[in-house]
Amino acid sequence: MNPFFDALETRDPAAREAALLAALPGQVAQAQRGSPAMAELLDGIDAATITSRAALARLPVLRKHELLERQKARRAADPFGGYSAIGWRGVASGRGARRVYQSPGPIYEPEGTAGDYWRMARAIYAAGFREGDLAHCSFSYHLTPAGAMMEAGAHAVGCTTFAGGIGNTELQLQAVADLKPHGYIGTPSFLKILVEKAGEHGVGIGSLHKAMVGGEAFPPSLRDWLSERGVEAFQSYATADAGLIAYETSAREGLVLDESVILEIVRPGTGEPVNDGEVGEVVVTVLNPDYPLVRFGTGDLSAVLAGACPSGRTNIRIKGWLGRADQTAKVRGMFVHPSQVAEIVRRHPEVVRARLVVSGEMANDRMTLRAEVANAPDGLAAAIATSIRDITKLRGEVEFSPPGALPNDGKVIEDARSYN
Protein backbone atom coordinates (compact mmCIF):
# COMPACT_ATOMS: atom_id res chain seq x y z
CA MET A 1 0.00 0.00 0.00
CA ASN A 2 1.10 3.56 -0.70
CA PRO A 3 2.43 5.03 2.55
CA PHE A 4 1.60 8.58 1.42
CA PHE A 5 -1.81 10.23 1.12
CA ASP A 6 -0.78 12.02 -2.09
CA ALA A 7 2.25 13.19 -4.05
CA LEU A 8 2.29 16.56 -2.25
CA GLU A 9 3.80 14.93 0.83
CA THR A 10 7.02 14.03 -0.98
CA ARG A 11 7.51 17.23 -3.00
CA ASP A 12 10.88 18.86 -3.27
CA PRO A 13 10.93 21.32 -0.32
CA ALA A 14 11.93 24.20 -2.59
CA ALA A 15 9.00 23.49 -4.91
CA ARG A 16 6.63 23.39 -1.94
CA GLU A 17 7.95 26.70 -0.60
CA ALA A 18 7.63 28.31 -4.01
CA ALA A 19 4.03 27.10 -4.37
CA LEU A 20 3.03 28.36 -0.92
CA LEU A 21 4.60 31.77 -1.44
CA ALA A 22 3.03 32.03 -4.91
CA ALA A 23 -0.39 31.46 -3.32
CA LEU A 24 0.24 33.90 -0.45
CA PRO A 25 -0.60 37.20 -2.22
CA GLY A 26 -3.93 35.76 -3.34
CA GLN A 27 -4.72 34.64 0.20
CA VAL A 28 -3.94 38.10 1.60
CA ALA A 29 -6.05 39.71 -1.14
CA GLN A 30 -8.93 37.35 -0.35
CA ALA A 31 -8.66 38.25 3.34
CA GLN A 32 -8.91 41.93 2.47
CA ARG A 33 -11.74 41.33 0.01
CA GLY A 34 -13.87 38.77 1.82
CA SER A 35 -13.30 39.53 5.52
CA PRO A 36 -14.08 43.04 6.81
CA ALA A 37 -12.17 42.33 10.03
CA MET A 38 -9.05 41.18 8.19
CA ALA A 39 -9.37 44.11 5.77
CA GLU A 40 -9.24 46.44 8.77
CA LEU A 41 -6.24 44.60 10.24
CA LEU A 42 -4.42 44.65 6.88
CA ASP A 43 -5.39 48.20 5.94
CA GLY A 44 -2.79 49.82 3.70
CA ILE A 45 -1.12 46.52 2.79
CA ASP A 46 -0.53 45.82 -0.91
CA ALA A 47 -1.31 42.12 -1.16
CA ALA A 48 0.75 41.77 -4.34
CA THR A 49 3.92 42.57 -2.36
CA ILE A 50 3.48 39.75 0.19
CA THR A 51 5.58 37.24 -1.70
CA SER A 52 8.17 36.21 0.90
CA ARG A 53 8.37 35.09 4.49
CA ALA A 54 10.03 38.38 5.39
CA ALA A 55 7.08 40.30 3.93
CA LEU A 56 4.63 38.03 5.74
CA ALA A 57 6.45 38.61 9.03
CA ARG A 58 5.79 42.34 8.75
CA LEU A 59 2.01 41.78 8.90
CA PRO A 60 0.25 41.87 12.29
CA VAL A 61 -0.51 38.63 14.14
CA LEU A 62 -4.18 37.95 14.89
CA ARG A 63 -4.45 36.20 18.24
CA LYS A 64 -7.39 34.14 19.37
CA HIS A 65 -8.38 36.48 22.21
CA GLU A 66 -8.56 39.35 19.70
CA LEU A 67 -10.81 37.28 17.42
CA LEU A 68 -13.07 36.51 20.40
CA GLU A 69 -13.22 40.13 21.53
CA ARG A 70 -14.25 41.33 18.07
CA GLN A 71 -16.83 38.56 17.72
CA LYS A 72 -18.37 39.60 21.02
CA ALA A 73 -18.36 43.28 20.06
CA ARG A 74 -19.96 42.69 16.63
CA ARG A 75 -22.16 39.73 17.48
CA ALA A 76 -25.49 41.51 16.93
CA ALA A 77 -24.55 42.28 13.32
CA ASP A 78 -22.29 39.32 12.52
CA PRO A 79 -21.59 36.37 14.86
CA PHE A 80 -18.21 35.89 13.11
CA GLY A 81 -17.15 39.45 13.91
CA GLY A 82 -16.36 40.09 10.25
CA TYR A 83 -13.70 37.38 9.94
CA SER A 84 -15.63 34.93 7.78
CA ALA A 85 -15.98 35.30 4.01
CA ILE A 86 -18.94 32.90 4.00
CA GLY A 87 -22.24 32.84 5.87
CA TRP A 88 -25.98 32.55 5.30
CA ARG A 89 -28.83 34.93 4.54
CA GLY A 90 -28.22 38.06 6.61
CA VAL A 91 -24.75 37.03 7.83
CA ALA A 92 -21.36 37.74 6.23
CA SER A 93 -21.57 37.18 2.46
CA GLY A 94 -25.07 35.73 2.81
CA ARG A 95 -24.04 32.39 1.32
CA GLY A 96 -21.46 29.61 1.30
CA ALA A 97 -21.56 28.20 4.84
CA ARG A 98 -22.59 24.58 5.19
CA ARG A 99 -22.43 24.52 8.98
CA VAL A 100 -21.56 26.82 11.88
CA TYR A 101 -20.02 25.72 15.18
CA GLN A 102 -19.56 27.11 18.66
CA SER A 103 -16.30 26.61 20.54
CA PRO A 104 -15.62 27.70 24.14
CA GLY A 105 -15.61 31.47 24.49
CA PRO A 106 -17.96 31.28 22.72
CA ILE A 107 -16.21 31.57 19.37
CA TYR A 108 -18.21 30.79 16.23
CA GLU A 109 -16.50 29.04 13.30
CA PRO A 110 -17.86 28.53 9.78
CA GLU A 111 -17.58 25.40 7.66
CA GLY A 112 -17.53 25.77 3.90
CA THR A 113 -18.62 23.32 1.23
CA ALA A 114 -15.16 22.02 0.22
CA GLY A 115 -14.67 18.33 0.70
CA ASP A 116 -12.60 17.52 3.80
CA TYR A 117 -12.85 21.20 4.71
CA TRP A 118 -10.40 20.88 7.64
CA ARG A 119 -7.98 18.64 5.66
CA MET A 120 -7.94 15.93 8.33
CA ALA A 121 -7.62 13.08 5.81
CA ARG A 122 -3.85 13.46 5.70
CA ALA A 123 -3.51 12.85 9.45
CA ILE A 124 -5.98 9.98 9.45
CA TYR A 125 -4.19 8.29 6.55
CA ALA A 126 -0.82 8.70 8.28
CA ALA A 127 -2.31 6.92 11.34
CA GLY A 128 -2.91 3.84 9.17
CA PHE A 129 -6.57 4.20 8.18
CA ARG A 130 -7.40 3.04 4.65
CA GLU A 131 -10.35 2.80 2.31
CA GLY A 132 -12.88 0.25 3.57
CA ASP A 133 -12.01 0.63 7.26
CA LEU A 134 -14.64 1.31 9.90
CA ALA A 135 -13.55 4.21 12.11
CA HIS A 136 -15.11 4.65 15.55
CA CYS A 137 -15.22 8.46 16.05
CA SER A 138 -15.51 9.61 19.66
CA PHE A 139 -15.01 13.33 19.20
CA SER A 140 -17.97 15.58 20.00
CA TYR A 141 -20.61 16.01 17.30
CA HIS A 142 -22.43 18.74 19.22
CA LEU A 143 -21.66 22.49 19.19
CA THR A 144 -17.93 22.13 18.41
CA PRO A 145 -16.61 20.95 15.01
CA ALA A 146 -14.35 18.13 16.23
CA GLY A 147 -16.64 15.19 15.36
CA ALA A 148 -17.56 16.55 11.94
CA MET A 149 -14.02 17.56 11.04
CA MET A 150 -12.66 14.10 11.82
CA GLU A 151 -15.55 12.37 10.09
CA ALA A 152 -15.04 14.42 6.92
CA GLY A 153 -11.38 13.43 6.90
CA ALA A 154 -12.20 9.75 7.43
CA HIS A 155 -14.72 9.86 4.58
CA ALA A 156 -12.09 11.45 2.32
CA VAL A 157 -9.82 8.49 3.05
CA GLY A 158 -12.69 6.13 2.16
CA CYS A 159 -13.62 4.97 5.66
CA THR A 160 -17.04 4.21 7.07
CA THR A 161 -17.61 6.02 10.37
CA PHE A 162 -19.50 5.28 13.56
CA ALA A 163 -20.57 8.55 15.22
CA GLY A 164 -19.81 7.62 18.80
CA GLY A 165 -19.47 11.17 20.11
CA ILE A 166 -18.50 11.69 23.74
CA GLY A 167 -19.76 9.93 26.87
CA ASN A 168 -22.06 6.87 27.01
CA THR A 169 -19.03 4.67 27.66
CA GLU A 170 -20.97 1.43 28.05
CA LEU A 171 -22.93 1.94 24.82
CA GLN A 172 -19.77 2.88 22.91
CA LEU A 173 -17.99 -0.17 24.27
CA GLN A 174 -20.88 -2.34 23.13
CA ALA A 175 -20.70 -0.75 19.68
CA VAL A 176 -16.99 -1.55 19.45
CA ALA A 177 -17.69 -5.17 20.41
CA ASP A 178 -20.60 -5.48 17.96
CA LEU A 179 -19.32 -3.50 14.96
CA LYS A 180 -15.65 -4.43 15.28
CA PRO A 181 -14.18 -1.16 13.97
CA HIS A 182 -10.66 -1.20 12.58
CA GLY A 183 -9.63 1.97 14.36
CA TYR A 184 -10.51 4.72 16.81
CA ILE A 185 -10.57 8.49 16.32
CA GLY A 186 -10.92 10.65 19.43
CA THR A 187 -9.14 11.84 22.55
CA PRO A 188 -6.43 9.56 23.95
CA SER A 189 -7.93 9.71 27.43
CA PHE A 190 -11.29 8.30 26.28
CA LEU A 191 -9.52 5.56 24.32
CA LYS A 192 -7.73 4.58 27.53
CA ILE A 193 -11.08 4.46 29.33
CA LEU A 194 -12.55 2.20 26.63
CA VAL A 195 -9.60 -0.18 26.79
CA GLU A 196 -9.70 -0.30 30.59
CA LYS A 197 -13.48 -0.87 30.69
CA ALA A 198 -13.18 -3.62 28.11
CA GLY A 199 -10.64 -5.38 30.32
CA GLU A 200 -12.75 -4.97 33.46
CA HIS A 201 -15.90 -6.38 31.83
CA GLY A 202 -14.27 -8.96 29.59
CA VAL A 203 -15.50 -7.28 26.40
CA GLY A 204 -13.57 -8.18 23.26
CA ILE A 205 -12.30 -5.13 21.35
CA GLY A 206 -9.47 -6.86 19.55
CA SER A 207 -10.48 -5.37 16.21
CA LEU A 208 -9.09 -1.97 17.30
CA HIS A 209 -5.49 -1.92 16.11
CA LYS A 210 -4.97 1.73 15.24
CA ALA A 211 -6.01 5.17 16.41
CA MET A 212 -5.74 8.82 15.47
CA VAL A 213 -5.93 10.93 18.63
CA GLY A 214 -5.98 14.64 19.38
CA GLY A 215 -7.58 17.37 21.42
CA GLU A 216 -5.28 16.91 24.42
CA ALA A 217 -1.75 15.94 25.40
CA PHE A 218 -0.60 12.47 24.33
CA PRO A 219 2.40 11.54 26.47
CA PRO A 220 4.76 8.74 25.40
CA SER A 221 3.76 6.76 28.49
CA LEU A 222 0.15 6.55 27.27
CA ARG A 223 1.26 5.82 23.71
CA ASP A 224 3.32 2.88 25.00
CA TRP A 225 0.50 1.71 27.29
CA LEU A 226 -1.87 1.54 24.32
CA SER A 227 0.74 -0.16 22.13
CA GLU A 228 1.21 -2.89 24.75
CA ARG A 229 -2.53 -3.57 24.42
CA GLY A 230 -2.44 -3.80 20.64
CA VAL A 231 -3.44 -0.24 19.65
CA GLU A 232 -0.95 1.88 17.69
CA ALA A 233 -2.04 5.48 18.19
CA PHE A 234 -0.80 8.57 16.35
CA GLN A 235 -1.56 12.17 17.20
CA SER A 236 -2.70 15.17 15.19
CA TYR A 237 -2.54 18.88 15.94
CA ALA A 238 -5.56 20.85 14.71
CA THR A 239 -7.72 23.78 15.75
CA ALA A 240 -11.30 24.76 14.94
CA ASP A 241 -10.00 27.95 13.34
CA ALA A 242 -7.19 26.55 11.18
CA GLY A 243 -8.08 22.88 10.73
CA LEU A 244 -5.16 20.46 10.52
CA ILE A 245 -1.80 22.05 11.29
CA ALA A 246 0.48 19.00 11.69
CA TYR A 247 0.33 15.25 12.18
CA GLU A 248 2.39 12.32 13.44
CA THR A 249 3.80 9.66 11.14
CA SER A 250 5.12 6.14 11.57
CA ALA A 251 8.57 7.63 12.25
CA ARG A 252 7.25 9.11 15.52
CA GLU A 253 9.74 11.96 15.28
CA GLY A 254 7.75 15.14 15.69
CA LEU A 255 4.71 16.24 13.67
CA VAL A 256 4.78 16.91 9.92
CA LEU A 257 3.19 20.15 8.73
CA ASP A 258 0.04 19.99 6.59
CA GLU A 259 0.51 20.92 2.94
CA SER A 260 -1.86 23.94 3.04
CA VAL A 261 -0.24 25.67 6.01
CA ILE A 262 2.41 28.39 6.09
CA LEU A 263 4.00 28.06 9.52
CA GLU A 264 5.87 30.64 11.60
CA ILE A 265 7.22 30.22 15.12
CA VAL A 266 7.30 33.65 16.78
CA ARG A 267 8.48 35.01 20.10
CA PRO A 268 5.45 35.07 22.46
CA GLY A 269 3.85 38.50 22.69
CA THR A 270 5.35 39.59 19.36
CA GLY A 271 5.13 38.82 15.66
CA GLU A 272 8.87 38.27 15.33
CA PRO A 273 9.91 34.84 13.96
CA VAL A 274 12.50 33.01 16.06
CA ASN A 275 15.39 30.91 14.78
CA ASP A 276 14.66 27.31 13.82
CA GLY A 277 14.82 25.13 16.91
CA GLU A 278 13.86 27.90 19.30
CA VAL A 279 10.55 27.45 21.13
CA GLY A 280 7.89 30.05 20.37
CA GLU A 281 4.23 30.56 19.50
CA VAL A 282 2.74 28.69 16.53
CA VAL A 283 1.42 31.21 13.97
CA VAL A 284 -0.25 29.88 10.81
CA THR A 285 -1.59 31.20 7.55
CA VAL A 286 -3.87 28.58 6.03
CA LEU A 287 -4.77 28.70 2.33
CA ASN A 288 -8.52 28.78 3.02
CA PRO A 289 -10.55 31.38 1.09
CA ASP A 290 -13.66 30.84 3.25
CA TYR A 291 -12.07 31.74 6.58
CA PRO A 292 -9.02 33.75 5.49
CA LEU A 293 -7.10 34.21 8.74
CA VAL A 294 -3.64 35.57 7.90
CA ARG A 295 -0.96 35.09 10.59
CA PHE A 296 -3.31 33.48 13.09
CA GLY A 297 -1.66 33.00 16.48
CA THR A 298 -2.79 29.70 17.94
CA GLY A 299 -1.50 30.47 21.45
CA ASP A 300 0.39 27.15 21.44
CA LEU A 301 4.14 26.74 21.88
CA SER A 302 6.28 24.55 19.65
CA ALA A 303 9.58 24.53 17.74
CA VAL A 304 10.82 23.48 14.30
CA LEU A 305 12.71 20.19 14.16
CA ALA A 306 15.81 20.01 11.99
CA GLY A 307 15.99 17.62 9.06
CA ALA A 308 13.47 15.62 7.07
CA CYS A 309 11.03 13.08 8.46
CA PRO A 310 12.35 9.48 8.21
CA SER A 311 8.93 8.47 6.86
CA GLY A 312 9.84 10.09 3.53
CA ARG A 313 7.58 13.12 3.91
CA THR A 314 9.52 16.24 3.08
CA ASN A 315 7.57 19.01 4.80
CA ILE A 316 8.71 20.93 7.89
CA ARG A 317 8.34 19.15 11.23
CA ILE A 318 7.51 20.62 14.62
CA LYS A 319 8.07 19.14 18.07
CA GLY A 320 4.38 19.07 18.94
CA TRP A 321 2.55 20.90 21.70
CA LEU A 322 4.98 22.37 24.26
CA GLY A 323 2.63 24.56 26.30
CA ARG A 324 0.69 27.81 26.02
CA ALA A 325 2.12 31.08 24.76
CA ASP A 326 -0.25 33.29 26.74
CA GLN A 327 1.80 33.67 29.92
CA THR A 328 0.04 36.75 31.28
CA ALA A 329 0.59 37.10 35.04
CA LYS A 330 -1.09 39.31 37.61
CA VAL A 331 1.47 41.04 39.81
CA ARG A 332 0.41 43.29 42.68
CA GLY A 333 -2.97 43.75 41.07
CA MET A 334 -1.58 44.60 37.62
CA PHE A 335 -1.57 42.33 34.55
CA VAL A 336 1.84 41.85 32.95
CA HIS A 337 1.84 40.57 29.35
CA PRO A 338 4.52 38.93 27.16
CA SER A 339 4.19 41.85 24.73
CA GLN A 340 5.41 44.18 27.52
CA VAL A 341 8.51 42.05 28.04
CA ALA A 342 9.10 42.20 24.27
CA GLU A 343 8.84 46.01 24.39
CA ILE A 344 11.43 46.17 27.19
CA VAL A 345 13.81 44.07 25.09
CA ARG A 346 13.20 46.26 22.03
CA ARG A 347 14.25 49.35 24.01
CA HIS A 348 17.63 47.80 24.84
CA PRO A 349 19.38 46.22 21.82
CA GLU A 350 22.12 44.81 24.07
CA VAL A 351 19.57 42.25 25.35
CA VAL A 352 19.55 39.08 23.24
CA ARG A 353 16.68 37.35 25.06
CA ALA A 354 14.84 37.87 28.33
CA ARG A 355 12.52 36.20 30.80
CA LEU A 356 10.52 37.93 33.51
CA VAL A 357 10.44 35.78 36.65
CA VAL A 358 7.71 36.48 39.21
CA SER A 359 8.65 34.99 42.58
CA GLY A 360 7.76 35.23 46.26
CA GLU A 361 4.22 34.86 47.54
CA MET A 362 0.94 36.33 46.38
CA ALA A 363 0.54 39.94 47.63
CA ASN A 364 4.29 39.94 48.39
CA ASP A 365 5.68 39.10 44.98
CA ARG A 366 8.87 40.21 43.23
CA MET A 367 9.71 40.66 39.55
CA THR A 368 13.15 39.91 38.15
CA LEU A 369 14.05 40.32 34.50
CA ARG A 370 16.68 37.75 33.58
CA ALA A 371 18.37 39.14 30.49
CA GLU A 372 20.91 37.50 28.19
CA VAL A 373 23.60 40.10 27.48
CA ALA A 374 27.06 39.51 25.97
CA ASN A 375 28.76 42.58 27.42
CA ALA A 376 26.71 44.80 29.70
CA PRO A 377 27.80 48.46 29.65
CA ASP A 378 27.69 50.50 32.83
CA GLY A 379 24.22 51.72 33.63
CA LEU A 380 22.38 49.13 31.53
CA ALA A 381 20.75 47.42 34.53
CA ALA A 382 19.43 50.73 35.83
CA ALA A 383 18.14 51.70 32.39
CA ILE A 384 16.34 48.37 32.00
CA ALA A 385 14.83 48.74 35.47
CA THR A 386 13.48 52.12 34.42
CA SER A 387 11.95 50.58 31.30
CA ILE A 388 10.32 47.86 33.42
CA ARG A 389 8.72 50.51 35.60
CA ASP A 390 7.65 52.67 32.61
CA ILE A 391 6.07 49.80 30.69
CA THR A 392 4.56 47.63 33.44
CA LYS A 393 4.01 50.35 36.09
CA LEU A 394 5.76 47.98 38.51
CA ARG A 395 9.25 47.84 39.94
CA GLY A 396 11.54 45.02 38.91
CA GLU A 397 15.08 43.82 39.43
CA VAL A 398 17.50 42.97 36.62
CA GLU A 399 19.89 40.01 36.41
CA PHE A 400 22.30 39.43 33.50
CA SER A 401 23.18 36.04 32.02
CA PRO A 402 25.41 35.12 29.07
CA PRO A 403 23.71 34.39 25.71
CA GLY A 404 22.20 30.91 25.64
CA ALA A 405 21.80 30.67 29.42
CA LEU A 406 18.00 30.86 29.48
CA PRO A 407 16.08 27.62 28.86
CA ASN A 408 14.74 27.06 25.34
CA ASP A 409 11.13 26.51 26.44
CA GLY A 410 9.35 29.54 25.01
CA LYS A 411 8.67 31.11 28.38
CA VAL A 412 8.74 34.89 28.45
CA ILE A 413 7.02 35.21 31.83
CA GLU A 414 7.68 32.56 34.49
CA ASP A 415 5.34 32.52 37.47
CA ALA A 416 7.49 30.97 40.21
CA ARG A 417 5.38 32.14 43.13
CA SER A 418 4.27 29.96 46.01
CA TYR A 419 0.50 29.50 46.18
CA ASN A 420 0.43 27.46 49.39
Side-chain angles (χ1 to χ4, degrees):
M1 283 191 178
N2 190 342
F4 307 114
F5 181 69
D6 59 24
L8 296 179
E9 294 184 342
T10 55
R11 278 187 291 182
D12 176 73
R16 176 185 292 108
E17 181 75 356
L20 290 173
L21 293 179
L24 184 56
Q27 184 65 20
V28 174
Q30 169 61 8
Q32 293 173 317
R33 181 172 56 246
S35 162
M38 290 303 303
E40 185 177 309
L41 189 65
L42 301 174
D43 184 43
I45 300 297
D46 181 359
T49 66
I50 310 303
T51 57
S52 67
R53 287 185 176 269
L56 179 63
R58 289 193 290 269
L59 302 183
V61 173
L62 168 65
R63 291 191 163 84
K64 198 156 190 167
H65 70 88
E66 296 169 327
L67 186 152
L68 173 59
E69 289 164 6
R70 183 172 174 119
Q71 279 202 3
K72 286 182 174 179
R74 309 292 177 93
R75 191 150 286 163
D78 181 353
F80 299 123
Y83 286 106
S84 177
I86 58 174
W88 54 90
R89 183 158 43 89
V91 171
S93 67
R95 63 189 184 279
R98 176 163 47 194
R99 297 187 182 98
V100 58
Y101 299 95
Q102 183 195 79
S103 292
I107 294 177
Y108 292 99
E109 299 104 3
E111 176 190 350
T113 57
D116 190 21
Y117 177 79
W118 284 278
R119 311 172 317 283
M120 290 305 306
R122 200 174 296 284
I124 292 169
Y125 192 92
F129 289 80
R130 296 293 183 268
E131 183 177 359
D133 283 350
L134 172 61
H136 184 111
C137 184
S138 283
F139 277 111
S140 175
Y141 280 81
H142 296 90
L143 296 177
T144 64
M149 68 195 297
M150 300 299 174
E151 183 169 274
H155 289 169
V157 170
C159 298
T160 302
T161 54
F162 174 75
I166 58 175
N168 300 306
T169 305
E170 288 76 15
L171 287 176
Q172 293 211 46
L173 190 58
Q174 181 180 345
V176 173
D178 292 344
L179 299 175
K180 297 178 175 54
H182 300 91
Y184 166 95
I185 298 175
T187 63
S189 60
F190 189 67
L191 175 57
K192 183 173 187 290
I193 289 171
L194 284 178
V195 173
E196 287 176 333
K197 290 288 185 183
E200 290 172 9
H201 299 287
V203 178
I205 60 169
S207 67
L208 280 181
H209 293 299
K210 54 199 170 193
M212 202 283 290
V213 299
E216 59 190 28
F218 185 45
S221 58
L222 180 52
R223 178 197 66 200
D224 295 343
W225 186 91
L226 290 168
S227 180
E228 290 166 2
R229 287 153 182 81
V231 183
E232 296 299 325
F234 298 83
Q235 61 184 313
S236 64
Y237 170 35
T239 75
D241 319 273
L244 180 66
I245 295 174
Y247 58 97
E248 192 174 20
T249 74
S250 58
R252 295 199 184 278
E253 292 187 13
L255 306 181
V256 176
L257 201 65
D258 178 59
E259 296 293 325
S260 296
V261 172
I262 300 174
L263 170 83
E264 299 171 273
I265 305 291
V266 308
R267 187 157 287 111
T270 78
E272 303 165 5
V274 300
N275 295 325
D276 284 355
E278 187 174 341
V279 176
E281 181 182 7
V282 175
V283 170
V284 294
T285 300
V286 181
L287 301 179
N288 178 359
D290 295 340
Y291 203 35
L293 304 180
V294 175
R295 296 202 88 199
F296 178 71
T298 64
D300 296 321
L301 294 175
S302 193
V304 170
L305 276 173
C309 181
S311 72
R313 293 169 177 84
T314 58
N315 208 344
I316 294 167
R317 295 178 299 156
I318 59 175
K319 288 186 178 180
W321 188 81
L322 299 176
R324 292 293 295 170
D326 184 6
Q327 300 155 25
T328 298
K330 198 169 189 178
V331 183
R332 297 172 225 152
M334 301 282 287
F335 283 107
V336 182
H337 304 276
S339 58
Q340 293 173 304
V341 179
E343 178 58 28
I344 294 166
V345 172
R346 268 193 291 270
R347 289 192 180 188
H348 304 279
E350 301 92 343
V351 178
V352 178
R353 208 154 53 103
R355 172 188 299 223
L356 188 69
V357 180
V358 186
S359 57
E361 298 177 354
M362 293 296 288
N364 188 28
D365 32 36
R366 182 173 66 255
M367 293 198 320
T368 303
L369 188 79
R370 294 184 58 200
E372 291 185 355
V373 178
N375 295 293
D378 291 343
L380 180 60
I384 293 174
T386 298
S387 295
I388 294 171
R389 187 167 61 252
D390 289 346
I391 292 169
T392 69
K393 312 306 179 190
L394 296 163
R395 294 184 181 277
E397 301 170 8
V398 178
E399 290 181 0
F400 292 138
S401 303
L406 294 177
N408 179 25
D409 56 9
K411 283 189 178 180
V412 175
I413 298 176
E414 178 184 351
D415 193 340
R417 289 174 288 192
S418 171
Y419 291 90
N420 295 332

